[in-house]
Amino acid sequence: MSRLPIGRTDFDRQAGWSALAVVASGAPAEEWNNEIRAVLLGLGWRVADRSAFAAIAVDSPTLEVLGFLAGRARSGRLTGVHPAVVATARAAIGL
């Protein structure tokens, strides 16, 4: 767990912490993107050439790992709560 969140840039790290917090909260997978986006907007992140950050997907290496752990590679689109992934996110945060 000491390697999460992953990423080299400030955005990747903050998006990663946001992803871990959202997933650790037990939010269903179909809400992860919207919830992470809301956290990032609250932290002040914006896309310079877009008027609405809300219209784009969050690109985060940490979120990709969490999606992989939840089975995205097998099933494509993720839905529902994934207890093992929630537990992983909580452990990474230290809860």
Side-chain angles (χ1 to χ4, degrees), residues 19-70:
L20 289 169
V22 166
V23 174
S25 77
E30 60 270 21
E31 295 178 14
W32 291 354
N33 216 23
N34 289 333
E35 295 294 324
I36 294 165
R37 189 180 313 107
V39 171
L40 292 170
L41 283 169
L43 291 171
W45 286 99
R46 303 288 185 271
V47 177
D49 61 345
R50 297 214 184 220
S51 59
F53 185 53
I56 64 172
V58 175
D59 184 23
S60 162
T62 302
L63 184 58
E64 288 180 31
V65 169
L66 295 170
F68 179 77
L69 292 173

Tab-separated table of all heavy atoms in Angstrom, residues 19-70:
chain	number	residue	atom	x	y	z
A	19	ALA	N	-8.894	9.867	-5.548
A	19	ALA	CA	-9.440	8.566	-5.936
A	19	ALA	C	-9.472	7.616	-4.746
A	19	ALA	O	-10.476	6.932	-4.514
A	19	ALA	CB	-8.616	7.967	-7.079
A	20	LEU	N	-8.385	7.583	-3.990
A	20	LEU	CA	-8.352	6.711	-2.814
A	20	LEU	C	-9.441	7.094	-1.813
A	20	LEU	O	-10.117	6.222	-1.258
A	20	LEU	CB	-6.974	6.770	-2.156
A	20	LEU	CG	-5.850	6.090	-2.932
A	20	LEU	CD1	-4.500	6.443	-2.323
A	20	LEU	CD2	-6.056	4.581	-2.990
A	21	ALA	N	-9.628	8.386	-1.588
A	21	ALA	CA	-10.655	8.839	-0.632
A	21	ALA	C	-12.056	8.465	-1.104
A	21	ALA	O	-12.882	7.986	-0.312
A	21	ALA	CB	-10.544	10.346	-0.417
A	22	VAL	N	-12.328	8.679	-2.388
A	22	VAL	CA	-13.657	8.364	-2.928
A	22	VAL	C	-13.922	6.866	-2.862
A	22	VAL	O	-14.979	6.424	-2.414
A	22	VAL	CB	-13.797	8.902	-4.372
A	22	VAL	CG1	-15.010	8.317	-5.067
A	22	VAL	CG2	-13.869	10.427	-4.358
A	23	VAL	N	-12.970	6.071	-3.301
A	23	VAL	CA	-13.157	4.617	-3.287
A	23	VAL	C	-13.249	4.113	-1.848
A	23	VAL	O	-14.099	3.280	-1.532
A	23	VAL	CB	-12.027	3.920	-4.069
A	23	VAL	CG1	-12.123	2.414	-3.933
A	23	VAL	CG2	-12.082	4.324	-5.543
A	24	ALA	N	-12.424	4.644	-0.959
A	24	ALA	CA	-12.462	4.239	0.452
A	24	ALA	C	-13.792	4.576	1.113
A	24	ALA	O	-14.190	3.923	2.081
A	24	ALA	CB	-11.319	4.896	1.222
A	25	SER	N	-14.490	5.576	0.591
A	25	SER	CA	-15.784	5.957	1.162
A	25	SER	C	-16.872	4.925	0.880
A	25	SER	O	-17.947	4.983	1.471
A	25	SER	CB	-16.230	7.320	0.616
A	25	SER	OG	-16.725	7.189	-0.713
A	26	GLY	N	-16.591	4.003	-0.047
A	26	GLY	CA	-17.587	3.000	-0.399
A	26	GLY	C	-18.499	3.428	-1.525
A	26	GLY	O	-19.534	2.797	-1.755
A	27	ALA	N	-18.131	4.481	-2.240
A	27	ALA	CA	-18.944	4.948	-3.367
A	27	ALA	C	-18.992	3.873	-4.448
A	27	ALA	O	-17.980	3.208	-4.707
A	27	ALA	CB	-18.360	6.229	-3.948
A	28	PRO	N	-20.136	3.691	-5.096
A	28	PRO	CA	-20.217	2.743	-6.206
A	28	PRO	C	-19.282	3.169	-7.348
A	28	PRO	O	-19.066	4.365	-7.576
A	28	PRO	CB	-21.675	2.829	-6.663
A	28	PRO	CG	-22.406	3.450	-5.521
A	28	PRO	CD	-21.418	4.324	-4.809
A	29	ALA	N	-18.750	2.208	-8.052
A	29	ALA	CA	-17.763	2.468	-9.102
A	29	ALA	C	-18.278	3.427	-10.171
A	29	ALA	O	-17.515	4.240	-10.686
A	29	ALA	CB	-17.319	1.154	-9.745
A	30	GLU	N	-19.553	3.380	-10.483
A	30	GLU	CA	-20.086	4.262	-11.518
A	30	GLU	C	-20.087	5.734	-11.083
A	30	GLU	O	-20.251	6.629	-11.915
A	30	GLU	CB	-21.473	3.826	-11.996
A	30	GLU	CG	-22.535	3.782	-10.933
A	30	GLU	CD	-22.640	2.436	-10.222
A	30	GLU	OE1	-21.685	1.647	-10.237
A	30	GLU	OE2	-23.714	2.190	-9.641
A	31	GLU	N	-19.877	6.001	-9.805
A	31	GLU	CA	-19.821	7.370	-9.298
A	31	GLU	C	-18.397	7.866	-9.060
A	31	GLU	O	-18.201	9.044	-8.755
A	31	GLU	CB	-20.616	7.469	-7.992
A	31	GLU	CG	-22.100	7.219	-8.178
A	31	GLU	CD	-22.867	7.261	-6.874
A	31	GLU	OE1	-22.320	7.738	-5.861
A	31	GLU	OE2	-24.014	6.794	-6.863
A	32	TRP	N	-17.410	6.990	-9.176
A	32	TRP	CA	-16.037	7.372	-8.873
A	32	TRP	C	-15.587	8.605	-9.637
A	32	TRP	O	-15.076	9.552	-9.065
A	32	TRP	CB	-15.065	6.222	-9.166
A	32	TRP	CG	-15.171	5.052	-8.241
A	32	TRP	CD1	-15.944	4.933	-7.114
A	32	TRP	CD2	-14.484	3.814	-8.369
A	32	TRP	NE1	-15.770	3.691	-6.539
A	32	TRP	CE2	-14.871	2.988	-7.287
A	32	TRP	CE3	-13.574	3.321	-9.295
A	32	TRP	CZ2	-14.379	1.702	-7.116
A	32	TRP	CZ3	-13.074	2.033	-9.122
A	32	TRP	CH2	-13.474	1.235	-8.038
A	33	ASN	N	-15.778	8.603	-10.948
A	33	ASN	CA	-15.295	9.712	-11.771
A	33	ASN	C	-15.910	11.046	-11.355
A	33	ASN	O	-15.196	12.039	-11.190
A	33	ASN	CB	-15.576	9.418	-13.248
A	33	ASN	CG	-14.490	9.925	-14.155
A	33	ASN	OD1	-13.358	10.110	-13.743
A	33	ASN	ND2	-14.840	10.138	-15.406
A	34	ASN	N	-17.231	11.080	-11.187
A	34	ASN	CA	-17.899	12.327	-10.793
A	34	ASN	C	-17.449	12.806	-9.417
A	34	ASN	O	-17.244	14.004	-9.207
A	34	ASN	CB	-19.417	12.159	-10.799
A	34	ASN	CG	-19.972	12.042	-12.192
A	34	ASN	OD1	-19.394	12.543	-13.152
A	34	ASN	ND2	-21.097	11.362	-12.322
A	35	GLU	N	-17.307	11.885	-8.483
A	35	GLU	CA	-16.902	12.251	-7.128
A	35	GLU	C	-15.449	12.748	-7.099
A	35	GLU	O	-15.141	13.736	-6.429
A	35	GLU	CB	-17.074	11.063	-6.178
A	35	GLU	CG	-18.511	10.632	-5.987
A	35	GLU	CD	-19.353	11.677	-5.289
A	35	GLU	OE1	-18.842	12.374	-4.397
A	35	GLU	OE2	-20.541	11.801	-5.633
A	36	ILE	N	-14.569	12.074	-7.810
A	36	ILE	CA	-13.166	12.499	-7.861
A	36	ILE	C	-13.074	13.870	-8.522
A	36	ILE	O	-12.351	14.751	-8.049
A	36	ILE	CB	-12.303	11.464	-8.613
A	36	ILE	CG1	-12.268	10.157	-7.826
A	36	ILE	CG2	-10.890	12.001	-8.856
A	36	ILE	CD1	-11.769	8.967	-8.626
A	37	ARG	N	-13.824	14.058	-9.597
A	37	ARG	CA	-13.847	15.352	-10.288
A	37	ARG	C	-14.294	16.457	-9.336
A	37	ARG	O	-13.707	17.537	-9.287
A	37	ARG	CB	-14.769	15.286	-11.496
A	37	ARG	CG	-14.699	16.498	-12.379
A	37	ARG	CD	-15.617	16.435	-13.593
A	37	ARG	NE	-15.573	15.199	-14.330
A	37	ARG	CZ	-16.544	14.276	-14.328
A	37	ARG	NH1	-17.635	14.447	-13.606
A	37	ARG	NH2	-16.448	13.180	-15.035
A	38	ALA	N	-15.316	16.190	-8.530
A	38	ALA	CA	-15.815	17.188	-7.575
A	38	ALA	C	-14.744	17.535	-6.541
A	38	ALA	O	-14.568	18.707	-6.185
A	38	ALA	CB	-17.080	16.671	-6.887
A	39	VAL	N	-14.017	16.529	-6.060
A	39	VAL	CA	-12.942	16.781	-5.094
A	39	VAL	C	-11.863	17.641	-5.736
A	39	VAL	O	-11.385	18.625	-5.156
A	39	VAL	CB	-12.348	15.461	-4.556
A	39	VAL	CG1	-11.099	15.721	-3.732
A	39	VAL	CG2	-13.388	14.699	-3.747
A	40	LEU	N	-11.467	17.305	-6.956
A	40	LEU	CA	-10.419	18.065	-7.647
A	40	LEU	C	-10.849	19.505	-7.918
A	40	LEU	O	-10.049	20.432	-7.780
A	40	LEU	CB	-10.011	17.365	-8.945
A	40	LEU	CG	-9.275	16.043	-8.739
A	40	LEU	CD1	-9.136	15.296	-10.065
A	40	LEU	CD2	-7.919	16.272	-8.108
A	41	LEU	N	-12.108	19.694	-8.269
A	41	LEU	CA	-12.620	21.062	-8.451
A	41	LEU	C	-12.550	21.818	-7.131
A	41	LEU	O	-12.169	22.983	-7.089
A	41	LEU	CB	-14.054	21.042	-8.976
A	41	LEU	CG	-14.212	20.737	-10.452
A	41	LEU	CD1	-15.680	20.469	-10.794
A	41	LEU	CD2	-13.671	21.875	-11.300
A	42	GLY	N	-12.896	21.138	-6.047
A	42	GLY	CA	-12.823	21.751	-4.723
A	42	GLY	C	-11.400	22.119	-4.329
A	42	GLY	O	-11.182	23.083	-3.596
A	43	LEU	N	-10.439	21.362	-4.837
A	43	LEU	CA	-9.022	21.648	-4.570
A	43	LEU	C	-8.470	22.740	-5.486
A	43	LEU	O	-7.333	23.158	-5.331
A	43	LEU	CB	-8.186	20.374	-4.735
A	43	LEU	CG	-8.414	19.296	-3.680
A	43	LEU	CD1	-7.702	18.005	-4.077
A	43	LEU	CD2	-7.930	19.777	-2.318
A	44	GLY	N	-9.295	23.181	-6.448
A	44	GLY	CA	-8.884	24.273	-7.322
A	44	GLY	C	-8.363	23.867	-8.690
A	44	GLY	O	-7.922	24.715	-9.457
A	45	TRP	N	-8.413	22.590	-9.032
A	45	TRP	CA	-7.938	22.161	-10.344
A	45	TRP	C	-8.937	22.539	-11.428
A	45	TRP	O	-10.137	22.413	-11.246
A	45	TRP	CB	-7.704	20.649	-10.363
A	45	TRP	CG	-6.485	20.256	-9.616
A	45	TRP	CD1	-6.420	19.768	-8.349
A	45	TRP	CD2	-5.135	20.353	-10.067
A	45	TRP	NE1	-5.124	19.540	-7.990
A	45	TRP	CE2	-4.306	19.887	-9.023
A	45	TRP	CE3	-4.540	20.786	-11.252
A	45	TRP	CZ2	-2.925	19.841	-9.137
A	45	TRP	CZ3	-3.164	20.732	-11.362
A	45	TRP	CH2	-2.372	20.268	-10.324
A	46	ARG	N	-8.417	23.012	-12.531
A	46	ARG	CA	-9.214	23.385	-13.700
A	46	ARG	C	-8.474	22.953	-14.953
A	46	ARG	O	-7.258	22.777	-14.933
A	46	ARG	CB	-9.435	24.902	-13.778
A	46	ARG	CG	-10.095	25.524	-12.567
A	46	ARG	CD	-11.573	25.143	-12.491
A	46	ARG	NE	-12.263	25.818	-11.419
A	46	ARG	CZ	-12.355	25.362	-10.176
A	46	ARG	NH1	-11.776	24.250	-9.837
A	46	ARG	NH2	-13.035	26.017	-9.260
A	47	VAL	N	-9.189	22.838	-16.059
A	47	VAL	CA	-8.571	22.571	-17.355
A	47	VAL	C	-8.540	23.895	-18.101
A	47	VAL	O	-9.577	24.513	-18.330
A	47	VAL	CB	-9.366	21.509	-18.148
A	47	VAL	CG1	-8.748	21.288	-19.516
A	47	VAL	CG2	-9.422	20.209	-17.370
A	48	ALA	N	-7.356	24.347	-18.462
A	48	ALA	CA	-7.169	25.687	-19.027
A	48	ALA	C	-7.971	25.926	-20.294
A	48	ALA	O	-8.541	26.989	-20.473
A	48	ALA	CB	-5.684	25.934	-19.299
A	49	ASP	N	-8.047	24.962	-21.183
A	49	ASP	CA	-8.715	25.204	-22.460
A	49	ASP	C	-10.144	24.673	-22.506
A	49	ASP	O	-10.734	24.577	-23.565
A	49	ASP	CB	-7.887	24.618	-23.609
A	49	ASP	CG	-7.704	23.115	-23.486
A	49	ASP	OD1	-7.951	22.570	-22.399
A	49	ASP	OD2	-7.320	22.493	-24.488
A	50	ARG	N	-10.708	24.358	-21.368
A	50	ARG	CA	-12.091	23.870	-21.322
A	50	ARG	C	-12.897	24.717	-20.347
A	50	ARG	O	-12.428	25.055	-19.280
A	50	ARG	CB	-12.136	22.421	-20.870
A	50	ARG	CG	-11.429	21.494	-21.812
A	50	ARG	CD	-12.153	20.199	-21.820
A	50	ARG	NE	-11.414	19.269	-22.652
A	50	ARG	CZ	-11.989	18.433	-23.452
A	50	ARG	NH1	-13.290	18.381	-23.520
A	50	ARG	NH2	-11.280	17.614	-24.188
A	51	SER	N	-14.115	24.985	-20.745
A	51	SER	CA	-14.964	25.766	-19.845
A	51	SER	C	-15.588	24.896	-18.754
A	51	SER	O	-15.974	25.404	-17.717
A	51	SER	CB	-16.065	26.467	-20.643
A	51	SER	OG	-16.848	25.503	-21.326
A	52	ALA	N	-15.685	23.604	-18.997
A	52	ALA	CA	-16.332	22.735	-18.012
A	52	ALA	C	-15.478	21.502	-17.731
A	52	ALA	O	-15.435	20.583	-18.533
A	52	ALA	CB	-17.709	22.316	-18.508
A	53	PHE	N	-14.798	21.512	-16.606
A	53	PHE	CA	-14.023	20.355	-16.171
A	53	PHE	C	-14.955	19.160	-15.981
A	53	PHE	O	-14.569	18.025	-16.148
A	53	PHE	CB	-13.295	20.705	-14.868
A	53	PHE	CG	-12.359	19.655	-14.349
A	53	PHE	CD1	-11.374	19.110	-15.154
A	53	PHE	CD2	-12.444	19.226	-13.042
A	53	PHE	CE1	-10.491	18.149	-14.660
A	53	PHE	CE2	-11.567	18.274	-12.543
A	53	PHE	CZ	-10.593	17.743	-13.355
A	54	ALA	N	-16.210	19.438	-15.652
A	54	ALA	CA	-17.174	18.376	-15.387
A	54	ALA	C	-17.428	17.492	-16.601
A	54	ALA	O	-17.902	16.380	-16.465
A	54	ALA	CB	-18.489	18.981	-14.902
A	55	ALA	N	-17.104	17.961	-17.790
A	55	ALA	CA	-17.400	17.206	-18.997
A	55	ALA	C	-16.300	16.207	-19.365
A	55	ALA	O	-16.471	15.440	-20.294
A	55	ALA	CB	-17.618	18.162	-20.164
A	56	ILE	N	-15.192	16.205	-18.651
A	56	ILE	CA	-14.103	15.306	-19.018
A	56	ILE	C	-13.880	14.243	-17.955
A	56	ILE	O	-14.228	14.425	-16.792
A	56	ILE	CB	-12.783	16.073	-19.278
A	56	ILE	CG1	-12.300	16.763	-18.012
A	56	ILE	CG2	-12.948	17.059	-20.409
A	56	ILE	CD1	-10.931	17.364	-18.139
A	57	ALA	N	-13.307	13.136	-18.364
A	57	ALA	CA	-13.008	12.047	-17.436
A	57	ALA	C	-11.738	12.371	-16.659
A	57	ALA	O	-10.847	13.039	-17.169
A	57	ALA	CB	-12.835	10.751	-18.207
A	58	VAL	N	-11.677	11.899	-15.453
A	58	VAL	CA	-10.483	12.063	-14.635
A	58	VAL	C	-9.467	11.023	-15.085
A	58	VAL	O	-9.782	9.838	-15.170
A	58	VAL	CB	-10.808	11.875	-13.139
A	58	VAL	CG1	-9.543	11.915	-12.309
A	58	VAL	CG2	-11.801	12.935	-12.679
A	59	ASP	N	-8.270	11.484	-15.393
A	59	ASP	CA	-7.194	10.591	-15.813
A	59	ASP	C	-6.194	10.504	-14.679
A	59	ASP	O	-5.477	11.452	-14.407
A	59	ASP	CB	-6.535	11.134	-17.081
A	59	ASP	CG	-5.471	10.209	-17.627
A	59	ASP	OD1	-5.521	9.000	-17.326
A	59	ASP	OD2	-4.588	10.684	-18.351
A	60	SER	N	-6.179	9.359	-13.998
A	60	SER	CA	-5.324	9.190	-12.833
A	60	SER	C	-4.727	7.788	-12.848
A	60	SER	O	-5.477	6.803	-12.930
A	60	SER	CB	-6.146	9.393	-11.556
A	60	SER	OG	-5.487	8.855	-10.437
A	61	PRO	N	-3.402	7.687	-12.755
A	61	PRO	CA	-2.806	6.349	-12.675
A	61	PRO	C	-3.333	5.547	-11.491
A	61	PRO	O	-3.525	4.335	-11.586
A	61	PRO	CB	-1.315	6.634	-12.527
A	61	PRO	CG	-1.109	7.999	-13.069
A	61	PRO	CD	-2.383	8.737	-12.785
A	62	THR	N	-3.585	6.207	-10.377
A	62	THR	CA	-4.120	5.507	-9.200
A	62	THR	C	-5.518	4.975	-9.477
A	62	THR	O	-5.834	3.830	-9.131
A	62	THR	CB	-4.128	6.447	-7.975
A	62	THR	OG1	-2.798	6.903	-7.745
A	62	THR	CG2	-4.663	5.748	-6.740
A	63	LEU	N	-6.350	5.774	-10.136
A	63	LEU	CA	-7.697	5.323	-10.473
A	63	LEU	C	-7.642	4.151	-11.445
A	63	LEU	O	-8.446	3.221	-11.353
A	63	LEU	CB	-8.521	6.475	-11.051
A	63	LEU	CG	-9.982	6.156	-11.368
A	63	LEU	CD1	-10.713	5.664	-10.126
A	63	LEU	CD2	-10.665	7.380	-11.957
A	64	GLU	N	-6.687	4.162	-12.362
A	64	GLU	CA	-6.520	3.028	-13.276
A	64	GLU	C	-6.217	1.748	-12.504
A	64	GLU	O	-6.770	0.689	-12.802
A	64	GLU	CB	-5.407	3.317	-14.281
A	64	GLU	CG	-5.776	4.344	-15.315
A	64	GLU	CD	-4.635	4.609	-16.291
A	64	GLU	OE1	-3.852	3.668	-16.562
A	64	GLU	OE2	-4.537	5.746	-16.767
A	65	VAL	N	-5.329	1.829	-11.506
A	65	VAL	CA	-4.994	0.656	-10.688
A	65	VAL	C	-6.231	0.178	-9.932
A	65	VAL	O	-6.532	-1.022	-9.908
A	65	VAL	CB	-3.841	0.981	-9.708
A	65	VAL	CG1	-3.670	-0.118	-8.675
A	65	VAL	CG2	-2.548	1.211	-10.468
A	66	LEU	N	-6.964	1.101	-9.327
A	66	LEU	CA	-8.166	0.719	-8.586
A	66	LEU	C	-9.201	0.081	-9.512
A	66	LEU	O	-9.854	-0.900	-9.145
A	66	LEU	CB	-8.751	1.928	-7.856
A	66	LEU	CG	-7.861	2.510	-6.752
A	66	LEU	CD1	-8.427	3.845	-6.269
A	66	LEU	CD2	-7.695	1.536	-5.602
A	67	GLY	N	-9.345	0.627	-10.711
A	67	GLY	CA	-10.257	0.046	-11.694
A	67	GLY	C	-9.832	-1.357	-12.105
A	67	GLY	O	-10.657	-2.264	-12.247
A	68	PHE	N	-8.536	-1.536	-12.281
A	68	PHE	CA	-8.010	-2.859	-12.612
A	68	PHE	C	-8.310	-3.845	-11.487
A	68	PHE	O	-8.764	-4.968	-11.723
A	68	PHE	CB	-6.509	-2.775	-12.874
A	68	PHE	CG	-5.879	-4.094	-13.196
A	68	PHE	CD1	-6.025	-4.651	-14.457
A	68	PHE	CD2	-5.158	-4.786	-12.240
A	68	PHE	CE1	-5.459	-5.884	-14.756
A	68	PHE	CE2	-4.582	-6.017	-12.523
A	68	PHE	CZ	-4.737	-6.566	-13.792
A	69	LEU	N	-8.081	-3.424	-10.233
A	69	LEU	CA	-8.364	-4.288	-9.089
A	69	LEU	C	-9.851	-4.630	-8.985
A	69	LEU	O	-10.216	-5.708	-8.505
A	69	LEU	CB	-7.897	-3.630	-7.790
A	69	LEU	CG	-6.384	-3.472	-7.620
A	69	LEU	CD1	-6.078	-2.655	-6.362
A	69	LEU	CD2	-5.705	-4.827	-7.566
A	70	ALA	N	-10.696	-3.725	-9.439
A	70	ALA	CA	-12.140	-3.951	-9.395
A	70	ALA	C	-12.637	-4.809	-10.554
A	70	ALA	O	-13.802	-5.194	-10.584
A	70	ALA	CB	-12.880	-2.611	-9.382
